[in-house]
Amino acid sequence: MKKILVINGPNLNLLGEREPGIYGGDNYETLCEKLMDKADELSVKCEVFQSNHEGAMIDKLHSARTEFDGIVLNAGAFTHYSYAVRDAIAAIKIPVIEVHISNVFAREDFRKTSVIAPVCKGSISGLGFGSYFLAMEALVNYCG
Ligand code: DQA
């Protein structure tokens, strides 16, 4: 059975109360439940991890390389400027799919740059929690 890790970065723990007009009204626990439901539907094992700290996310990316078959990553604002997260993705061999709840291309200019996109297998943005579900499907169906 495939094992997928979902990593959520800074401020995503505040889903539901954080800018609901942009990120929706469902909270982080609901996201986790829906990810587990999707994992059941796809017959994969899934672990969900969230941190507000860049180093903790990098440690998780490193440890995942021998434990998981693929990663769904919402790096939050680190997406736009963290070369350290980018290098961590480049350093591991398992596929990483970048996801965003909001359409980052329809927002502020700084969000239109992703320094992690070039080292990710693919990127999905703007589909709400559906971005995560599609990334999980892609890891199962299109990533070996
Ligand atoms: C986000 C978009 C980022 O620009 C932002 O910093 C986030 C969330 C999204 O899921 O839409 O924290 O990654």
Side-chain angles (χ1 to χ4, degrees):
M1 187 181 260
K2 274 199 176 185
K3 288 178 72 180
I4 292 175
L5 173 66
V6 180
I7 299 179
N8 281 298
N11 303 305
L12 290 158
N13 54 309
L14 294 185
L15 280 175
E17 55 181 288
R18 172 195 186 198
E19 301 182 271
I22 295 173
Y23 299 112
D26 286 339
N27 64 20
Y28 184 70
E29 287 66 36
T30 301
L31 171 62
C32 294
E33 284 167 20
K34 290 185 174 181
L35 292 171
M36 290 307 174
D37 289 347
K38 188 69 188 175
D40 285 347
E41 183 192 313
L42 294 169
S43 300
V44 295
K45 284 195 176 160
C46 179
E47 181 183 316
V48 186
F49 174 83
Q50 190 275 329
S51 178
N52 294 319
H53 304 278
E54 189 179 25
M57 287 174 61
I58 291 167
D59 287 343
K60 195 68 182 174
L61 285 161
H62 289 179
S63 64
R65 76 191 195 282
T66 53
E67 292 174 26
F68 291 90
D69 299 295
I71 298 175
V72 176
L73 172 63
N74 186 344
F78 288 135
T79 302
H80 312 301
Y81 68 92
S82 175
Y83 300 121
V85 171
R86 176 195 163 114
D87 283 353
I89 297 166
I92 62 176
K93 292 191 177 72
I94 59 172
V96 177
I97 300 189
E98 171 191 9
V99 299
H100 301 286
I101 296 168
S102 64
N103 180 353
V104 288
F105 302 102
R107 300 181 61 194
E108 300 95 327
D109 279 348
F110 75 88
R111 292 185 209 276
K112 292 173 187 157
T113 298
S114 168
V115 300
I116 67 170
V119 291
C120 286
K121 185 84 179 166
S123 303
I124 302 171
S125 167
L127 301 173
F129 290 174
S131 297
Y132 294 83
F133 307 149
L134 289 176
M136 291 170 78
E137 283 181 22
L139 285 174
V140 172
N141 294 318
Y142 309 116
C143 297

